[in-house]
Amino acid sequence: MNRPKFYIYLPIVFALVLILGIFIGSTFSLKKSNGNISVDGGDQYDKINQILRYVEDQYVDTIKTRDLVNKTIVALLANLDPHSSYITAEELTASNEPLQGNFEGIGVEFNIVDDTIRVISAIAGGPSETVGVQAGDKIIKVDGKTVAGIKITNKQVMENLKGKGGTKVKVSMMRRGKSGLLDFNITRGTIPIYSIDVSYMLNAKTGYIKISRFGATTYDEYMQAFEKLKEQGMQQLVVDLRGNGGGFLNTAVDIADEFLSEGKGILYTEGKARPRKDYKATRKGEFENGKLMVLIDDGSASASEILAGALQDNDRATIIGRRSFGKGLVQEQSEFSDSSAIRLTIARYYTPTGRSIQKSYANGIEAYYEEENNRYANGELENADSIKITDSIKFVTPAGKIVYGGGGIVPDVFVGLDTAGRSLYLTEVFFTGTINDFAFEYSDRERSKLKAYKTVENFNKSFLITSAILNELIVYAEKNKIKRNNKEIAQSESILKNQLKALIARNVFNGEGYYQVIQNQDNVLKKAIELMK
């Protein structure tokens, strides 16, 4: 849900909109007399088309018509609502990959540390793992071209490593303990992008599934995770939707169907040109009974709000956390012949009780996205009493619970942002990526010792971030121009240690390691476990 950058162009919308006529193609005469322009014909679209031709013919400089058209469409759609948008062919491919659930490349998760591409992990079953690429390997050359020490960006790394399936790429890597470079000839293939970040048992009865997006493969991934936990004795479940910005509506509907009995409403959509369409649960639900908790925050949007709203309105789950983003608009994608596309809002969606959770965008796009920051400034992220929803409307669930429309899903149980232990030093170490880089360096150096723990559970229970390890981080940060502040370090020590331990666990045990460790200080998840009891 990042703020779009095009809002700064809105003051020149009128100038750009004139270019829209390139798509109209109608013809009639434009006359110029005494500095004035007159148009024969009353159609406003014709006027736009003729002005375009006039600009192309008479403008003082040569113009790039395609660029102007693209900017025009962006500005035009921006005047409708915050989520109608134009997407270039290149942007469309990149935006579709996470939702389609795959891309084509060599199959590594990487990070750039000290201007060098470091392999965090080779994706299981992918081309890189198959040829023997290991976590910790440093990518020095790609097809003979040096990629280390050149201030390479993430985008450039992707451009070098991604490519059509079946094509080959030679990757030269440096490995700890080996002299010289190791050359790997890798045949690119289809690499899965998973939308279930992690699933594991929180305790003997309680399962946990974290969903990062709602894509084409999410439902199948969810069912695999669910069956795995069920075999481990799961009787109650926590579904984590925090930070999940949405995705495919039908995927959210399919997952909601797993929790609701036949005939229960999930949502309905309706727009000026789109008649009401209802989505209801079928017979297939595998977890229609049993305690269910859903975690949300201000990063939960769109399809996440569909799922949370359906379960809240049907009194099926307890919603825990902070108010969700508030996106209740449905977009339809239409592609042009050049593979660019527009996503046009064609309907609103409503929860089963009839509430629209779309927050207001009456004050423009900038104010719409600034509302997220205002929540922090107004104290809403820390105190439930500070929640203010514009034009909020009360609705009542079948069990008599009051729920609210007009601006996101308000949780049943509010858990505020924990600011204890926060400091400027902590913020700087986090947001510069310094703690991530150090965690990778430490994990790479001590990999054999860390792997000796064998399981995440053993690691979480037995491995400790000692004062010596923490001091290593502080010294590392100093080398990266982050000044030591002993008072703030002491204030944030607990968070620093837990975050560092979680990052080390991720480097050794992947995502499951990270989440099992980070939950040690996750107050929202702790509240869910407490309520389960």
Side-chain angles (χ1 to χ4, degrees):
M1 302 306 300
N2 294 328
R3 177 186 301 177
K5 295 180 177 164
F6 55 71
Y7 73 88
I8 60 174
Y9 296 109
L10 294 182
I12 59 171
V13 167
F14 275 104
L16 293 176
V17 166
L18 299 179
I19 314 303
L20 185 61
I22 194 170
F23 292 114
I24 307 305
S26 58
T27 60
F28 65 113
S29 62
L30 177 147
K31 302 175 183 178
K32 185 171 183 297
S33 175
N34 299 322
N36 298 318
I37 297 174
S38 62
V39 180
D40 291 337
D43 194 321
Q44 296 301 305
Y45 298 125
D46 290 343
K47 181 188 295 185
I48 292 173
N49 187 62
Q50 289 301 97
I51 293 176
L52 168 64
R53 296 185 180 189
Y54 179 61
V55 170
E56 287 180 313
D57 183 50
Q58 299 294 328
Y59 186 64
V60 63
D61 295 320
T62 300
I63 64 171
K64 294 182 179 179
T65 305
R66 181 174 179 177
D67 289 345
L68 284 174
V69 168
N70 288 345
K71 289 179 181 178
T72 299
I73 300 171
V74 167
L76 174 67
L77 295 175
N79 272 319
L80 301 178
D81 67 82
H83 300 291
S84 291
S85 60
Y86 171 73
I87 311 156
T88 65
E90 297 76 18
E91 293 169 339
L92 184 62
T93 299
S95 65
N96 279 343
E97 282 177 351
L99 294 179
Q100 294 300 333
N102 61 72
F103 68 96
E104 293 181 330
I106 68 169
V108 293
E109 183 182 356
F110 69 90
N111 198 359
I112 300 174
V113 182
D114 294 332
D115 204 13
T116 304
I117 307 164
R118 311 288 187 95
V119 176
I120 296 176
S121 66
I123 295 173
S128 291
E129 186 196 50
T130 301
V131 300
V133 175
Q134 297 178 7
D137 287 348
K138 303 175 183 179
I139 301 178
I140 306 300
K141 295 182 179 180
V142 176
D143 283 334
K145 180 181 176 182
T146 299
V147 293
I150 63 170
K151 297 183 178 179
I152 197 166
T153 64
N154 282 320
K155 181 180 179 181
Q156 291 171 327
V157 175
M158 299 298 284
E159 289 172 349
N160 278 278
L161 299 182
K162 288 175 66 176
K164 190 174 181 180
T167 59
K168 295 182 182 293
V169 60
K170 181 181 178 181
V171 183
S172 302
M173 302 194 183
M174 183 181 294
R175 180 173 295 170
R176 183 179 293 275
K178 300 286 185 180
S179 59
L181 297 179
L182 302 176
D183 292 331
F184 296 93
N185 292 304
I186 306 172
T187 301
R188 296 183 177 96
T190 300
I191 312 302
I193 301 177
Y194 297 108
S195 50
I196 301 295
D197 285 344
V198 68
S199 61
Y200 58 90
M201 294 296 290
L202 294 168
N203 52 47
K205 296 194 303 181
T206 310
Y208 171 84
I209 299 177
K210 180 170 178 58
I211 306 175
S212 61
R213 67 182 68 86
F214 291 91
T217 63
T218 306
Y219 176 73
D220 290 337
E221 290 180 51
Y222 167 79
M223 290 308 301
Q224 291 173 11
F226 176 83
E227 292 299 333
K228 179 191 76 173
L229 297 179
K230 191 175 178 181
E231 290 174 2
Q232 296 176 29
M234 179 185 69
Q235 299 176 34
Q236 47 198 31
L237 177 62
V238 177
V239 175
D240 193 344
L241 300 178
R242 290 175 294 179
N244 183 325
F248 294 148
L249 181 150
N250 286 336
T251 302
V253 170
D254 287 341
I255 293 178
D257 197 356
E258 291 298 320
F259 303 115
L260 299 171
S261 58
E262 183 179 8
K264 295 285 188 181
I266 296 175
L267 83 151
Y268 66 89
T269 61
E270 192 171 21
K272 180 189 69 176
R274 306 298 168 104
R276 173 168 170 158
K277 181 178 180 180
D278 286 86
Y279 297 80
K280 295 182 180 294
T282 66
R283 296 180 180 179
K284 68 178 182 179
E286 293 288 335
F287 197 69
E288 294 179 2
N289 299 296
K291 289 184 180 179
L292 177 63
M293 306 285 172
V294 176
L295 313 184
I296 63 171
D297 63 9
D298 48 300
S300 305
S302 191
S304 291
E305 295 172 299
I306 290 173
L307 178 55
L311 299 177
Q312 187 180 51
D313 280 16
N314 284 290
D315 300 296
R316 176 64 188 92
T318 301
I319 312 300
I320 305 171
R322 299 188 293 276
R323 180 164 65 100
S324 64
F325 180 85
K327 179 184 181 295
L329 300 176
V330 182
Q331 282 73 50
E332 180 177 77
Q333 181 170 299
S334 300
E335 294 189 20
F336 295 109
S337 58
D338 65 354
S339 296
S340 63
I342 63 169
R343 289 176 179 161
L344 182 68
T345 297
I346 47 91
R348 297 178 184 271
Y349 73 72
Y350 300 84
T351 65
T353 59
R355 54 184 172 141
S356 169
I357 55 175
Q358 173 63 45
K359 65 183 181 182
S360 173
Y361 48 88
N363 295 323
I365 292 177
E366 184 174 4
Y368 179 78
Y369 284 99
E370 193 64 28
E371 189 267 347
E372 292 180 84
N373 295 329
N374 292 339
R375 294 188 194 187
Y376 180 81
N378 296 336
E380 178 184 326
L381 301 187
E382 298 176 46
N383 302 292
D385 292 342
S386 298
I387 297 177
K388 296 178 181 178
I389 306 175
T390 304
D391 298 325
S392 63
I393 301 173
K394 292 183 179 180
F395 293 80
V396 181
T397 69
K401 178 173 63 180
I402 294 177
V403 291
Y404 299 90
I409 300 293
V410 178
D412 301 312
V413 178
F414 177 86
V415 180
L417 185 68
D418 185 5
T419 57
R422 305 290 171 176
S423 67
L424 291 176
Y425 181 86
L426 178 72
T427 299
E428 193 168 8
V429 169
F430 275 17
F431 288 100
T432 58
T434 301
I435 192 169
N436 300 62
D437 295 346
F438 174 77
F440 184 91
E441 294 281 2
Y442 182 89
S443 303
D444 193 33
R445 188 182 75 216
E446 305 292 342
R447 195 172 298 276
S448 59
K449 293 180 181 179
L450 295 168
K451 283 188 173 181
Y453 288 101
K454 295 186 178 179
T455 67
V456 178
E457 291 77 14
N458 289 338
F459 174 86
N460 197 13
K461 181 179 180 181
S462 304
F463 178 78
L464 298 175
I465 299 295
T466 63
S467 297
I469 296 174
L470 180 60
N471 190 61
E472 277 191 65
L473 168 62
I474 296 166
V475 172
Y476 183 87
E478 285 182 301
K479 291 179 180 178
N480 286 275
K481 300 181 181 180
I482 298 177
K483 293 182 179 180
R484 180 190 295 255
N485 186 316
N486 291 328
K487 180 180 179 181
E488 292 187 357
I489 290 170
Q491 180 181 336
S492 302
E493 181 177 347
S494 176
I495 300 175
L496 282 167
K497 285 184 173 181
N498 194 60
Q499 182 71 22
L500 179 56
K501 181 176 177 179
L503 291 168
I504 292 171
R506 182 178 67 183
N507 286 319
V508 180
F509 300 102
N510 298 321
E512 186 170 341
Y514 176 83
Y515 285 106
Q516 288 199 41
V517 173
I518 207 69
Q519 77 177 47
N520 296 333
Q521 293 183 346
D522 187 340
N523 289 339
V524 180
L525 183 55
K526 285 182 178 180
K527 173 59 72 172
I529 296 171
E530 175 189 327
L531 292 173
M532 286 289 193
K533 298 177 181 178

